[in-house]
Amino acid sequence: MFGMGIGEILLIAVVAVLFLGPDKLPETMVSIAKFFRSVKGTVNTARATIEEEMKFSEMKQEALSYKNDLLNASSELERLTDLTDINSEIANVKKDFSLEKSVIAPVAPKEPEVVTFIPKAKPINPPEETV
């Protein structure tokens, strides 16, 4: 414990008995145990708080990442659905369409094609041979 051997612990116990006496030694040991327990509890609480803060910082980073993704998607969607751009494109298409209509002259219909059927000549049958 704390890098001390059995001999060192016995030496501390003997010195404690000599200075404190057998009457105050149990009370002192209890108070020392309470002190170590409170220090241990404080350290555990601090460690838990630090771990919780680290989790919060990770969650905060993840939330900021999602926020940036949403902002990028929102700006892209706004760009794609911008009515002024769409209206200008529609006006350009209408203008092109009206120009094409005015340039193209009506075409006269072609005369219908006449289809005639000529009967095929009958094949000449070779004379039949008799046996």
Side-chain angles (χ1 to χ4, degrees), residues 10-74:
L10 286 175
L11 180 64
I12 292 172
V14 169
V15 170
V17 168
L18 289 176
F19 280 114
L20 296 174
D23 296 337
K24 292 187 179 180
L25 186 61
E27 294 173 15
T28 307
M29 293 299 286
V30 168
S31 63
I32 290 173
K34 286 180 181 178
F35 172 75
F36 279 121
R37 193 174 301 135
S38 69
V39 168
K40 184 178 176 183
T42 305
V43 169
N44 286 339
T45 304
R47 183 177 59 223
T49 304
I50 290 172
E51 287 175 358
E52 189 173 318
E53 287 295 324
M54 289 175 62
K55 287 180 185 175
F56 282 139
S57 68
E58 290 173 3
M59 289 172 38
K60 183 178 179 181
Q61 291 294 333
E62 191 174 331
L64 288 175
S65 171
Y66 286 136
K67 179 182 176 184
N68 288 335
D69 290 344
L70 286 173
L71 288 175
N72 290 339
S74 174

Side-chain angles (χ1 to χ4, degrees), residues 60-123:
K60 183 178 179 181
Q61 291 294 333
E62 191 174 331
L64 288 175
S65 171
Y66 286 136
K67 179 182 176 184
N68 288 335
D69 290 344
L70 286 173
L71 288 175
N72 290 339
S74 174
S75 65
E76 182 68 17
L77 182 63
E78 186 175 313
R79 185 187 67 80
L80 289 173
T81 59
D82 190 13
L83 291 180
T84 57
D85 289 342
I86 292 173
N87 287 336
S88 65
E89 288 296 321
I90 290 173
N92 288 338
V93 169
K94 282 182 180 179
K95 187 172 103 179
D96 291 343
F97 185 69
S98 65
L99 287 177
E100 286 178 12
K101 267 188 164 178
S102 63
V103 171
I104 298 175
V107 179
K110 294 181 180 180
E111 292 188 23
E113 192 174 316
V114 178
V115 179
T116 58
F117 294 101
I118 303 172
K120 288 185 177 179
K122 291 186 178 182

